[in-house]
């Protein structure tokens, strides 16, 4: 189970489409690897299907090669690049991400996706992207999409532990970028800083980061009646909706992060239990 | 000396165990149309191949994106209870060496929704359906079976083995007397073939198997998950909100096989569905040689949506060179 | 928000899980002299570190080539019986996903040879010795314990959990009443700290744990192996001559951890040695957080002779940053 | 556990020696790979310790990288080569050997050894090496050793299923080589063919191959009072003597193939149970 049956991307994608299906797990080629920070990596992968189908907020499952670690590692798609490539940005937190960090261009990695229901980008509005640390990647894809929307405006407010590893990528995609490190404050500091320039009736907040951060953002936005969408995280068994392992508590019951989400409207979330 | 001239023992079949598949030229394509060559019969119900999906690892909306459900020998669906259950809090899963542990706790929308949303769609897609029945009490099970008695479900699977619910579930499945009483009661309520799904968390599997059969079970399925857990060494706390959960995946394969083997030895005639760690046609075949009539694929489907179809295809090809076994299965009989 | 600013959860310790060790610069060298920083106490017996060798996976002649046995917290030795036992026929082992199954069947030269050949040498090398006691009957166990009562063994481990012998072994370990009677009898024969080694092949581990403690056990060790098997798909026959055997290795880790957790919850004070699938300091640490006083390394030692010392070193370093846990262990207490 | 802690050969060997020990499992470099037949491979590995300590009949444990397959794969050392290298010749029979067959020079493999008690080469004699298929490799190492013994003579009698894959290597090391394929006969045919030239009082038979073959050889030799040593095979748990998984039945009880063997005197073996 450590490697998919299919070792080239195109055939499985083609065959799946011919059969009227989505392609299952497949083995893709890594086209780029770059360290953005100590233990934060940017990886690009050739997968035309994922590149074509990725919405802002979509993620892919990557699978470690070793059989001791079989479960999927969900990673947000941070950008879609030319030539059928997707980009992910990940931190090394455990065995799987450590293994990924040791891969190099030309190596292969197993992938499933794109997965999940992404951000709902209704139309022209002022989008405020509020990200924390490794929650930034899905917001980059959102920035990429918003940039192509006529009349839309974007502000990115990013909080980091140390190095501002994503700023270089984000700054080219948004109208305004402000970022902050832990020792200087957090994203609420940044929100307070831009509040005066915001028209709540025309603003949408998209946020992704640690659950307590998103809860604070949702509470800040709630008080100001700014609609907010949260990109949630949960331990997953499958990532494609079959096992019900990844639920968050919502006002509509326990919903799957991987298929009903990962993006949920802030007002639908019940923070207490989902926050673990 | 002809057959033994080369040292080295076992010669591999053309098929690969998926777990270390290094062979890009496998040729097997689960997405191409395929005519099944080797069927099986479980408690009188024909399956077009001996491979089904294991309960709780198949969701129609999720899986039909990836393969044709009519391609499976059978579709085992998630446990349904009399009313909707919300299951356990998150986190509900953790990784284990070559496996996983889950504490989903039978979250499901209840039997009424199942009868409207899922079952008719599955039947219209051409699936053979094994409906998994969950309960907190004998009355719960009875209510669900009653609702399913006239449904188009092909078989009922009574889940007395879930380690993730506090009442009912595994506690019934570990007590031969209580189990016998429950199955006897359910037996009176339906003519549908009734499979009892057994837990491995017992001292004497034969006793619970026998109690089920004497209670009126038409078949047995085993194993459900083994109790287990993981701890986060950065906090010293269990990873699962529920602390312990059920272990499944390749890691449980030899244990599951041993359970099927022991039940088959004790009960030569009862149809058995073998479950546990199957991720390749080869592993499925080991279960058939251990005496199973059919198998189901669980955790492997979580790691690759098309795994159940792939296992079925691999097995179909492996059975080509094993006509004695294939013939027995086709007649509803088992190896030895 | 400081602590949670970075998404991604658990941050790894410097240590690596051996199972996917990709870090050549690990720095830990099990062959260099080392002063142990974190000891433990099991039933009054001090261990210089919380890691021992698991019974049946340590042989002095084999292992002393590779490391200094005095470096281990304790040396658990192969089960000894009143007279020499020849064990089961070959094949005695088969591979399983992330594990193995064995049917050695307690082949050993008997307690008399052990007392002459192995124990004095181990003691003269400076090892803390846990002597594993095997039997086919209560009388067998009693005979061995009698012979060991005045020996230099530091602890006795009563193996009532071997799935590979037809009488005694696991059958005693699954029956709380018989177990209680046996332990009570042995208790009267020796003042040595007596560990009872439990089998996971039971419905209710707490009942057998309690029976042992009430019989006079000073400590519990768990788990022994889980019943399992493999089948050769070229012949349709079991690989093991004995058909079934005992599964161990990384695959059983979450299951073993769950057993220790449940016993610790039920019996807050009994010393526990956690065993099952440990192949790294991190996995050892999970057992300590589950409530074990110490752990033992089994199958991992088969795959690398120095694994037990490596695990001990890794754990010793991991405990540096966990003074609360280390202090409890040093006092003979456990986490929570 | 799928990869050893030590990733270079020399340091672990040095450190072990400094500590007065044998080196444990280590990660070695593959220096050569060559296909000798369909699914029969010759691999050379750099490991100065193994090269120095290998006796005729010694074997090494090789370990697959994937964690689904943790157990050692014992393989006889077929030759010791210059530069601290050892050679193994193996057939692809299952997952582990398939994985090995896909390795290439420059790749690494985990190794433990050398292991086992080899052939007892007393001195000048006529050594008849009787090998079957993948039992030939340990006999090659024996031939290598015998070639350096003054006054010793060697005859190799090899039986193959198809291609005579080892002849090219063996012919340079023995005085006389005869080989045969299944469809033309077996090693007993070859033994009968050389019988007239044998002086039983000065002859030693070394045999390795399928157990039924070795039993037939032992019986042939027994009738002629020719001392015979058999290199046995058994499924192993550890390969270094700690687990007692690998026993064969002998007149002295069940002995470990990995440490008491793999070579046993034919007259000590009890064939019935050991033959499985
Ligand atoms: C929808 C979604 C999108 C994500 N996007 C990103 C991203 O763009 N960049 C990034 O760096 N991280 C992202 N994460 C978190 C990322 O999935 C984990 O950091 C990663 O799975 C850890 O794997 P590991 O093997 O290194 O850790 P281990 O601790 O060894 O993993 C063990 C198991 O726990 C799971 N796990 C551990 N931590 C987490 C976590 N925080 N969330 C979910 N599962 C976890 C792993 O998937 C695996 O199954 C995302 C998570 C989700 C759910
Ligand atoms: C002392 C000794 C020396 C050997 N020398 C050679 C040699 O020089 N060349 C060669 O080609 N083969 C040799 N063999 C046989 C070789 O070890 C097996 O072919 C190999 O282990 C098969 O591994 P696999 O992963 O391909 O097969 P799998 O069937 O996937 O292996 C599964 C498990 O069974 C074991 N196993 C399978 N077949 C055998 C067997 N025949 N003997 C022992 N264990 C087995 C494996 O080691 C592994 O633990 C030797 C065996 C022994 C005991
Ligand atoms: C996420 C998950 C959910 C499950 N839910 C159910 C269930 O609802 N009913 C049931 O009888 N078994 C359930 N099981 C058990 C499986 O059907 C199967 O018996 C077990 O996982 C062993 O098979 P495997 O190793 O192939 O996964 C579940 C297993 C998993 C992994
Ligand atoms: C080859 C082998 C032999 C064993 N022999 C014994 C024994 O003699 N006595 C005993 O109590 N346990 C014995 N065990 C069980 C181990 O001590 C241990 O409980 C079990 O293997 C689980 O630990 P592990 O996963 O680390 O191997 C044996 C295990 C193996 C693999
Ligand atoms: S992870 Fe399986 S349903 Fe979401
Ligand atoms: S294989 Fe372990 S003693 Fe021989």
């Amino acid at each position: 189970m450590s490697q998919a049956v299919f070792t080239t991307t195109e055939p499985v994608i083609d065959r799946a489409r011919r059969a009227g299906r989505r392609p299952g797990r497949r083995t893709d080629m890594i086209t780029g690897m770059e360290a953005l920070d100590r233990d934060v990596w940017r990886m690009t992968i050739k997968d035309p299907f994922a590149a074509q189908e990725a919405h802002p907020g979509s993620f892919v499952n990557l699978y470690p090669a070793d059989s001791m670690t079989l479960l999927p590692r969900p990673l947000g798609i941070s950008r879609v690049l030319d030539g059928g490539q997707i980009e992910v940005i990940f931190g090394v937190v455990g065995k799987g991400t450590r293994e990924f960090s040791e891969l190099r261009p030309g190596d292969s990695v197993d992938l499933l996706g794109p997965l999940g229901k992404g951000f709902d980008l209704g139309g022209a509005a002022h989008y405020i992207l509020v990200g924390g640390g490794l929650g930034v990647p899905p917001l980059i894809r959102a920035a990429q999409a918003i940039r192509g929307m006529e009349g839309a405006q974007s502000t990115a407010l990013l909080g980091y532990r140390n190095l501002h590893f994503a700023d270089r990528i984000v700054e080219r995609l948004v109208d305004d970028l402000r970022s902050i490190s832990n020792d200087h404050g957090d994203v609420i500091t940044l929100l307070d800083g831009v509040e005066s320039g915001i028209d709540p009736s025309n603003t949408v907040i998209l946020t992704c980061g640690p659950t307590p951060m998103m809860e604070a953002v949702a509470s800040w936005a709630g008080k100001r009646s700014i609609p907010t969408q949260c990109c949630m995280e949960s331990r997953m068994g499958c990532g494609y909706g079959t096992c019900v392992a990844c639920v968050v508590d919502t006002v509509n019951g326990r919903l799957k992060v991987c298929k009903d989400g990962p993006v949920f409207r802030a007002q639908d979330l019940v923070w207490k239990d989902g926050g673990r | 000396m002809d057959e033994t001239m080369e040292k080295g023992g076992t010669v591999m079949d053309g098929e690969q165990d998926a777990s270390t598949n290094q062979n890009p030229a496998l040729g097997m394509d689960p997405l191409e149309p395929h005519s099944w060559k080797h069927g099986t019969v479980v408690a009188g119900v024909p399956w077009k191949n001996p491979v089904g999906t294991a309960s709780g690892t198949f969701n129609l909306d999720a899986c039909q994106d990836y393969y044709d459900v009519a391609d499976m020998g059978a579709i085992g669906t998630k446990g349904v209870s009399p009313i909707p259950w919300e299951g356990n809090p998150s986190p509900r899963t953790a990784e284990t060496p070559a496996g996983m542990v889950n504490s989903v706790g039978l979250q499901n929308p209840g039997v009424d929704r199942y009868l409207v949303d899922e079952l008719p769609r599955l039947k219209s897609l051409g699936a053979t359906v094994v409906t998994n029945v969950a309960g907190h009490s004998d009355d719960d099970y009875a209510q669900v079976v009653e609702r399913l008695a006239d449904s188009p479900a092909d078989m009922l699977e009574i889940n007395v083995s879930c380690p993730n619910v506090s009442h009912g579930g595994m506690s019934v499945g570990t007590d031969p007397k209580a189990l016998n009483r429950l199955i006897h009661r359910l037996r009176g309520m339906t003519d549908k073939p009734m499979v009892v799904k057994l837990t491995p968390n017992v001292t004497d599997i034969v006793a619970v198997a026998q109690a089920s059969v004497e209670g009126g079970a038409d078949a047995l399925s085993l194993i459900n998950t083994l109790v287990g857990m993981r701890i986060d060494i950065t906090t010293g706390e269990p990873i699962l909100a529920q602390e312990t959960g059920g272990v499944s995946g390749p890691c449980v394969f030899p244990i599951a096989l041993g359970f099927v083997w022991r039940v088959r030895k004790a009960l030569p005639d009862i149809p058995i569905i073998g479950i546990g760690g199957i991720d390749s046609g080869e592993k499925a075949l080991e279960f058939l040689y251990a005496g199973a009539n059919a198998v189901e694929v669980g955790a492997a489907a979580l790691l690759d949506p098309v795994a159940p179809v792939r296992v079925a295809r691999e097995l179909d090809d492996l059975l080509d060179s094993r006509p004695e076994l294939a013939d027995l299965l086709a007649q509803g009989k088992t190896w030895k």
Side-chain angles (χ1 to χ4, degrees), chain A, chain B:
Chain A
M1 226 156 9
S2 63
Q3 231 173 313
V5 174
F6 305 108
T7 52
T8 46
T9 304
E10 267 73 13
V12 62
I13 293 174
D14 292 349
R15 290 202 300 268
R17 282 189 168 148
R18 230 185 305 126
R21 308 280 167 196
R22 291 172 70 83
R25 177 170 164 168
R26 53 206 181 263
T27 304
D28 280 339
M29 207 183 57
I30 293 169
T31 54
M33 270 301 275
E34 183 193 353
L36 297 179
D37 191 357
R38 196 181 99 84
D39 283 342
V40 180
W41 291 81
R42 186 181 92 85
M43 180 193 275
T44 55
I45 303 167
K46 176 150 175 122
D47 190 304
F49 182 81
Q52 183 181 321
E53 305 272 320
H55 297 288
S58 296
F59 65 94
V60 288
N61 280 350
L62 295 190
Y63 302 86
D66 193 88
S67 307
M68 291 286 187
T69 47
L70 292 174
L71 288 189
R73 271 58 182 171
L75 295 175
I77 295 172
S78 57
R79 280 190 296 178
V80 170
L81 304 173
D82 289 344
Q85 297 177 87
I86 59 163
E87 176 192 75
V88 293
I89 295 174
F90 63 91
V92 175
V93 302
K95 286 193 259 178
T97 50
R98 181 175 306 274
E99 185 189 309
F100 299 153
S101 74
E102 285 159 1
L103 296 172
R104 290 296 169 263
D107 289 344
S108 60
V109 68
D110 273 21
L111 179 147
L112 180 73
L115 301 163
K117 205 174 64 43
F119 293 107
D120 182 10
L121 303 180
H126 180 188
Y127 290 96
I128 304 189
L129 316 178
V130 186
L134 292 166
V136 173
L139 296 176
I140 301 179
R141 178 80 193 89
Q144 207 184 22
I146 292 162
R147 197 164 161 244
M149 285 165 52
E150 199 149 340
Q153 186 193 343
S154 58
T155 300
L157 309 177
L158 309 181
Y160 298 99
R161 203 182 289 184
N162 310 300
L163 210 77
H164 297 208
F165 63 81
D167 282 9
R168 180 168 58 82
I169 299 169
V170 176
E171 69 188 0
R172 283 177 284 166
L173 298 172
V174 295
D175 299 315
D176 187 11
L177 164 65
R178 301 175 188 205
S179 58
I180 196 165
S181 314
N182 269 1
D183 35 354
H184 295 101
D186 57 27
V187 292
I188 301 296
T189 322
L190 296 177
L191 276 169
D192 289 338
V194 298
E195 182 176 4
S196 58
I198 290 177
D199 168 9
S201 71
N202 187 37
T203 299
V204 175
I205 291 180
L206 312 180
T207 182
C208 188
T211 305
M213 181 204 91
M214 291 196 282
E215 187 171 358
V217 170
S219 151
W220 188 95
K223 287 185 201 126
R224 291 155 184 85
S225 303
I226 303 173
T228 299
Q229 302 174 28
C230 302
C231 186
M232 305 298 287
E233 201 175 86
S234 176
R235 287 187 180 250
M236 294 188 175
C238 69
Y240 69 95
T242 209
C243 76
V244 214
C246 61
V247 294
V248 279
D249 286 330
T250 77
V251 293
N252 304 311
R254 290 193 164 135
L255 296 180
K256 299 173 192 170
V257 168
C258 74
K259 203 168 155 93
D260 301 315
V263 178
F264 296 88
R265 297 193 303 175
Q267 73 258 38
D268 293 344
L269 290 163
V270 179
W271 291 98
K272 273 287 170 300
D273 272 331
R276 182 155 169 165
Chain B
M1 232 173 298
D2 300 279
E3 267 316 296
T4 50
M5 207 60 209
E6 297 286 318
K7 224 184 177 185
T10 322
V11 175
M12 273 195 103
D13 275 81
E15 294 303 317
Q16 293 264 311
D17 194 315
S19 54
T20 53
N21 172 46
Q22 307 276 350
N23 181 4
L26 192 61
M28 190 285 314
D29 183 347
L31 293 162
E32 294 293 337
H34 177 87
S35 326
W36 298 99
K37 298 167 283 186
H38 308 290
T40 191
V41 182
V42 183
V45 179
W47 292 23
K48 59 176 80 69
N49 61 60
V51 183
T53 60
S55 177
T57 62
F58 174 88
N59 174 288
L60 179 55
D61 288 324
C63 295
Q64 68 176 354
D65 282 351
Y66 294 97
Y67 62 88
D68 183 353
V69 296
D71 250 344
M72 295 306 300
I75 296 291
T77 55
K78 179 78 194 165
V80 283
S81 45
I83 54 165
W85 283 0
E86 64 164 6
N88 292 321
S90 281
R92 290 179 172 184
T93 185
E95 189 167 65
T96 72
M100 60 180 292
V101 51
N102 90 80
S103 58
V104 169
L106 289 167
Q107 173 170 349
N108 81 92
V111 64
D112 294 336
R113 280 272 297 280
Y114 176 79
L115 282 169
V116 176
D117 280 2
E118 195 159 350
L119 186 54
R121 278 165 64 210
L122 274 170
K123 289 309 300 176
S124 76
L125 290 168
T128 300
V129 180
V130 183
T131 300
N132 189 271
V133 176
H136 286 150
S137 63
D138 284 14
D139 289 347
D140 277 0
Y141 288 105
Q143 270 180 58
V144 178
V145 169
E146 190 172 31
R147 298 282 287 121
L148 291 167
D150 301 324
S151 76
D154 297 284
M155 313 180 81
L156 305 185
E157 180 179 54
I158 314 302
N159 175 6
V160 291
S161 45
C162 180
N164 295 322
V165 294
S166 37
H167 302 284
M170 206 172 85
S171 56
V172 194
T174 58
D175 177 348
K177 276 210 195 95
L179 181 58
N180 180 279
R181 196 173 49 228
L182 171 63
I183 301 306
H184 188 79
R185 172 168 171 194
L186 302 180
R187 175 72 295 166
M189 301 174 60
T190 178
D191 295 332
K192 283 199 194 295
M194 204 164 67
V195 187
V196 176
K197 184 156 180 186
L198 302 180
T199 171
N201 303 290
V202 293
T203 309
D204 185 355
I205 190 74
V206 170
V208 284
Q210 218 138 20
S212 306
V213 173
E214 283 161 14
D218 299 299
L220 302 172
S221 60
L222 61 160
I223 58 171
N224 210 314
T225 54
L226 285 137
V227 177
M229 75 184 308
R230 287 301 301 261
I231 289 176
D232 182 342
I233 60 164
T234 62
T235 62
E237 295 293 331
I239 291 178
L240 301 177
Q242 207 68 5
E243 298 183 348
T244 61
V247 177
S248 64
C251 57
V252 307
F253 172 73
I255 301 168
L257 194 68
F259 275 107
V260 168
W261 175 266
R262 283 175 286 165
V263 173
R264 172 53 73 224
K265 285 221 145 178
L267 303 171
D269 297 321
I270 190 82
I272 295 177
I273 302 171
I275 317 172
I278 297 172
D279 61 1
S280 69
E282 292 193 334
K283 293 224 182 78
L285 189 55
E286 286 193 50
F287 270 100
L288 300 180
Y289 279 127
N293 300 62
V295 300
E296 287 175 1
V297 174
L302 273 46
L303 310 177
D304 181 1
V306 300
V309 194
R310 179 174 51 72
V311 170
R313 295 287 175 93
E314 289 173 1
L315 180 65
D316 210 37
D317 289 347
L318 286 167
L319 286 173
D320 285 347
S321 54
R322 292 166 174 85
E324 345 71 71
L325 174 59
D327 287 352
L328 285 168
L329 294 172
Q331 295 166 40
K333 296 181 190 156
T334 57
W335 190 246
K336 281 194 261 184

